[in-house]
Amino acid sequence: MMPEPHDDLAIFSAADLSASGARSLDEKDPLRSFREAFHIPLAEDGNEVVYLTGNSLGLQPKATRAALLEVLDDWAALGVEGHFKAKHAWMPYHALLTEQMAKVVGAAGGEVVVMNSLTVNIHLLMASFYRPKGRKSKIIIEANAFPSDRYAVRSHLEWHGLDPEEHLIIAGEASGSDPILQEEDIEAILKTHAGEVALVMMGGVNYYSGQLFDMQRITKAAHAVGALVGFDLAHAAGNVELKLHDWDVDFAAWCSYKYLNAGPGGPSGVFVHTRHGSNPDVPRLSGWWGHDATSRFNMPDSFVPSSGAEGWQLSNPSILSMAAFKASLGVFEQVGMEALIQKSRKLTAYTAALLESRCGERVELITPSDPARRGAQLSVRIRPETGAHPSDNSAANRSGATSSGKEVFNRLEAAGVICDWREPD
């Protein structure tokens, strides 16, 4: 199936798509002042770059430096006493992020905790929620899933002595070059394999196409056949509306360094639905920091999990990383996800309209045109020219291919437009 026709152009007038029109739209933007809350890199000519890669690494909030210095100063002045006497005591520091993080992902109290890194958390959660039993042993992921997800689910199958070639179902694998996976296709797979699927483990937003999946619909369909559902929200958290509790999602994990602006390698967040988090008998890989806080320092032999998502914690967290994340979540708290998403949709539609009006013959947007099916991402495939540049000695050109997508990417980068390249085109 080809991507849907793009209707973004109809939203804007020709005047809007001019430089003066863009400035006019900026002046009317209620969130325009928040641009000043972030450091924007400078190009070699001293001008700010056009930064279009927040899907890979978000910009640094200007509040981050002070947040980090606060921790460093408390460490210098207090040493170990900082755990209890720092301006923001380190012992309960992770809890300072919980309420704001829960608002971003639509979680109820106790369902969220910030800990570890993303793939570590995916493994921890799958250890609890992928429990193959008899024929009910298969996992569904989407085609073009991020490599970590593919590696994680394969390793869990192998850990249980199962062959991924037999027990891993890749939804959309047979769709050829079309990157869009329809929810009805996932529902059909679930019905076909109703007695075999133990877990659906997918990205909330596909990193390659930018497609936003209907997570509520997928969750309902999976639960109808007795399967659990987990989502990797690396490209969804801080980007799109999430209502994990209301959607009845079993578990989810996300990183914080993309749309959440917590810095390179920033800590991950996890969601565990309250029906699982309130059940101490759910199996898990346990650690000291996940033990019930009221008796943790008694150093007991038997593990008693904290209630909620905190019961999946392993070790005391990196306070410096948490501090950077806390600074970013402060911006989210000021803006609010609803206002952020409204602006995101306008900016994304505006970019799509510019691409279509200026170079529609050369570009194909593989990201869905419906704002309800995408976040702040446009994946652009450059259509082939009649011939590649003679100086292009790439393997693609030597083989007769005519796509110049990488050349366009390189030109954008040279012009101070920072975006991402995804193989092959």
Side-chain angles (χ1 to χ4, degrees):
M1 178 180 291
M2 292 296 292
E4 307 142 45
H6 289 268
D7 51 12
D8 299 292
L9 191 58
I11 302 173
F12 301 98
S13 68
D16 289 333
L17 299 179
S18 67
S20 61
R23 283 191 288 269
S24 176
L25 291 170
D26 270 344
E27 290 168 1
K28 299 172 186 175
D29 175 18
L31 299 183
R32 62 178 303 191
S33 64
F34 284 95
R35 180 183 177 88
E36 299 304 316
F38 296 89
H39 291 289
I40 300 176
L42 302 180
E44 291 183 3
D45 62 5
N47 292 315
E48 291 179 344
V49 301
V50 178
Y51 196 80
L52 301 180
T53 188
N55 63 300
S56 185
L57 179 67
L59 293 175
Q60 182 188 131
K62 291 180 179 177
T64 302
R65 182 178 295 272
L68 293 174
L69 287 174
E70 176 192 301
V71 175
L72 290 172
D73 289 345
D74 283 340
W75 180 20
L78 299 169
V80 71
E81 293 299 312
H83 283 90
F84 308 98
K85 296 181 180 179
K87 182 177 180 181
H88 293 100
W90 303 337
M91 271 291 295
Y93 200 99
H94 68 272
L96 298 175
L97 286 68
T98 301
E99 183 178 351
Q100 293 173 341
M101 189 73 265
K103 290 179 182 178
V104 172
V105 299
E111 291 182 322
V112 164
V113 69
V114 175
M115 63 182 196
N116 307 317
S117 57
L118 174 55
T119 306
V120 169
N121 286 336
I122 288 174
H123 279 295
L124 289 173
L125 292 167
M126 286 190 66
S128 291
F129 298 111
Y130 175 58
R131 313 291 293 180
K133 189 175 296 183
R135 290 180 63 247
K136 208 161 187 63
S137 59
K138 294 186 177 180
I139 302 175
I140 297 176
I141 63 171
E142 81 273 28
N144 285 327
F146 194 76
S148 282
D149 293 350
R150 302 199 303 267
Y151 303 156
V153 297
R154 284 180 174 273
S155 67
H156 276 266
L157 288 166
E158 292 166 348
W159 185 261
H160 287 280
L162 302 172
D163 181 0
E165 299 304 316
E166 180 181 350
H167 294 271
L168 180 60
I169 301 172
I170 303 176
E173 188 175 35
S175 62
S177 61
D178 179 17
I180 304 304
L181 173 60
Q182 306 299 331
E183 281 78 7
E184 51 263 37
D185 294 338
I186 300 170
E187 291 170 331
I189 292 171
L190 283 164
K191 289 179 180 178
T192 300
H193 299 275
E196 302 173 303
V197 177
L199 176 67
V200 177
M201 180 68 211
M202 294 180 55
V205 172
N206 183 266
Y207 88 101
Y208 184 82
S209 68
Q211 177 187 358
L212 167 60
F213 290 104
D214 187 335
M215 287 174 264
Q216 183 178 24
R217 180 175 172 179
I218 292 168
T219 300
K220 183 178 180 180
H223 286 172
V225 299
L228 296 178
V229 183
F231 289 102
D232 176 348
L233 302 177
H235 290 264
N239 176 22
V240 297
E241 181 182 44
L242 296 169
K243 296 182 178 180
L244 298 181
H245 177 82
D246 292 347
W247 294 344
D248 209 27
V249 172
D250 292 294
F251 68 91
W254 54 92
C255 58
S256 63
Y257 45 82
K258 300 179 187 292
Y259 295 99
L260 292 171
N261 305 95
S268 169
V270 303
F271 165 88
V272 178
H273 197 281
T274 187
R275 66 175 171 277
H276 302 302
S278 61
N279 180 4
D281 295 326
V282 173
R284 68 195 79 195
L285 297 176
S286 306
W288 179 60
W289 208 253
H291 185 92
D292 176 46
T294 62
S295 59
R296 183 183 297 154
F297 281 88
N298 294 336
M299 309 297 186
D301 287 335
S302 298
F303 177 77
V304 178
S306 296
S307 181
E310 290 193 2
W312 272 262
Q313 296 177 108
L314 297 180
S315 305
N316 53 324
S318 166
I319 302 302
L320 286 166
S321 295
M322 290 278 188
F325 197 3
K326 178 175 174 292
S328 176
L329 286 174
V331 182
F332 278 86
E333 182 76 8
Q334 294 177 66
V335 176
M337 283 303 298
E338 183 177 352
L340 180 69
I341 290 168
Q342 287 179 1
K343 179 167 183 178
S344 166
R345 288 184 171 182
K346 290 178 182 177
L347 284 169
T348 307
Y350 190 81
T351 307
L354 279 172
L355 285 166
E356 190 166 340
S357 67
R358 305 271 180 107
C359 45
E361 294 182 357
R362 287 297 317 282
V363 302
E364 175 191 357
L365 300 181
I366 66 171
T367 305
S369 61
D370 181 356
R373 302 201 68 196
R374 71 182 183 204
Q377 176 177 336
L378 293 174
S379 294
V380 182
R381 179 176 287 150
I382 307 299
R383 291 195 178 104
E385 291 180 298
T386 54
H389 194 279
S391 64
D392 178 6
N393 194 36
S394 67
N397 193 31
R398 291 196 304 271
S399 66
T402 58
S403 175
S404 56
K406 191 60 180 284
E407 183 182 3
V408 171
F409 172 82
N410 291 337
R411 289 180 179 179
L412 285 169
E413 191 172 59
V417 181
I418 309 302
C419 46
D420 260 348
W421 171 258
R422 296 285 184 240
E423 297 292 347
D425 58 358

